[in-house]
Amino acid sequence: MSGPKKPLVPVPHDVVRESFLTWNIERGADGSRTGGGLIKLLDGLFESVQVAALGLAIAIVLGFVLATLMSQAKWVQNALWPFLIALQAMPILAFVPLIGTVIGFNFKARVMVCVIIAIFPIVANTLFGLLSVDRGYHELMTLNGASRLTRLIKLQFPAAMPSIFTGLQISAGLSVVGAVVGDFFFRQGEPGLGRLINLYQNSTAYEQMYGAVVMSALLGIAVFMMFGWIGNRVVGSWHEKRSS
């Protein structure tokens, strides 16, 4: 006769004790099939941070380039905007077989998921900011003989900074989501937080599973707040809407 089943929702102090107050749980100790403890969560956190940071960096570069091109040529905007909307609207799970087939189920695939999830808010907010400059300022710079490049660098980008940092803040949180989600499907390489959640669920180590979920949430909150702080430091002192 089998013993009593473990509760699906453990009490909070058990989650804290096994996930954050215990440094290392050896595989096989107390019936553990996966091992665990804080050291394993930190290893998974480090892996997820690498994926999210690289994916976000690529999304920022591509997003800025695309938004700048779209702001300077209407035909570029009309050509690219439908594809960006389709990329944003299509469920990321639909891309999993395609990404895995083309580049493999590895670290690069997880980074690709982050890029796909994070790029749209950067493009949308940056483009909105670049196109929202008051027409009078454009006419003033035209009267002073400013070139298109000068207008872009000295007028549009400074005015768009609040919108740019709003997009970065949103995309930073989404990049963490992409890193965790990608971990569920692309399982080659070192396990990140998403894979740890899956491993702990399959081995009924629910205390550690909830610990990995909490760690993922804390990572997302941390990067969201970090970009919000950076945005306030950069533009909060002189932009009324950002500082209010």
Side-chain angles (χ1 to χ4, degrees):
M1 188 174 179
S2 60
K5 292 184 178 180
K6 296 181 66 174
L8 296 178
V9 183
V11 292
H13 63 80
D14 285 342
V15 175
V16 173
R17 184 186 70 249
E18 294 200 18
S19 298
F20 301 102
L21 299 183
T22 303
W23 178 247
N24 185 29
I25 299 175
E26 296 290 344
R27 183 173 298 182
D30 297 326
S32 172
R33 288 187 280 171
T34 59
L38 181 58
I39 187 173
K40 197 159 187 176
L41 276 183
L42 292 178
D43 288 340
L45 175 65
F46 179 70
E47 185 68 20
S48 294
V49 167
Q50 289 185 83
V51 174
L54 182 55
L56 180 62
I58 295 173
I60 290 173
V61 173
L62 290 178
F64 281 176
V65 170
L66 292 177
T68 302
L69 292 175
M70 292 166 70
S71 69
Q72 298 303 300
K74 189 68 175 179
W75 68 269
V76 176
Q77 180 179 346
N78 292 336
L80 295 180
W81 193 246
F83 294 100
L84 290 169
I85 293 177
L87 190 68
Q88 174 70 13
M90 185 176 295
I92 189 61
L93 297 183
F95 285 98
V96 169
L98 177 62
I99 296 174
T101 301
V102 174
I103 62 177
F105 294 84
N106 49 29
F107 181 86
K108 294 180 181 179
R110 284 182 275 176
V111 172
M112 181 68 69
V113 171
C114 290
V115 174
I116 292 173
I117 291 181
I119 192 171
F120 184 81
I122 295 174
V123 176
N125 284 274
T126 302
L127 180 62
F128 173 79
L130 293 175
L131 296 180
S132 297
V133 181
D134 188 270
R135 188 73 182 174
Y137 293 120
H138 281 286
E139 294 175 353
L140 179 62
M141 295 199 75
T142 300
L143 289 174
N144 285 275
S147 65
R148 174 175 289 191
L149 180 60
T150 301
R151 187 182 308 175
L152 176 66
I153 296 175
K154 294 188 176 182
L155 174 63
Q156 289 179 276
F157 267 117
M161 280 297 172
S163 296
I164 290 174
F165 275 101
T166 298
L168 291 177
Q169 197 173 9
I170 296 171
S171 293
L174 290 177
S175 67
V176 175
V177 175
V180 174
V181 170
D183 236 9
F184 279 99
F185 302 98
F186 307 116
R187 301 185 178 183
Q188 294 182 14
E190 294 297 322
L193 291 173
R195 191 171 172 193
L196 288 181
I197 293 172
N198 185 255
L199 290 172
Y200 291 146
Q201 180 189 29
N202 293 336
S203 61
T204 67
Y206 296 123
E207 294 85 0
Q208 296 173 69
M209 183 191 76
Y210 279 95
V213 171
V214 171
M215 186 70 82
S216 301
L218 292 176
L219 175 59
I221 293 171
V223 297
F224 184 86
M225 293 181 65
M226 182 185 71
F227 275 90
W229 178 81
I230 295 174
N232 286 328
R233 294 287 294 177
V234 173
V235 300
S237 60
W238 55 268
H239 193 274
E240 180 180 355
K241 292 182 180 179
R242 186 83 193 186
S243 58
S244 60

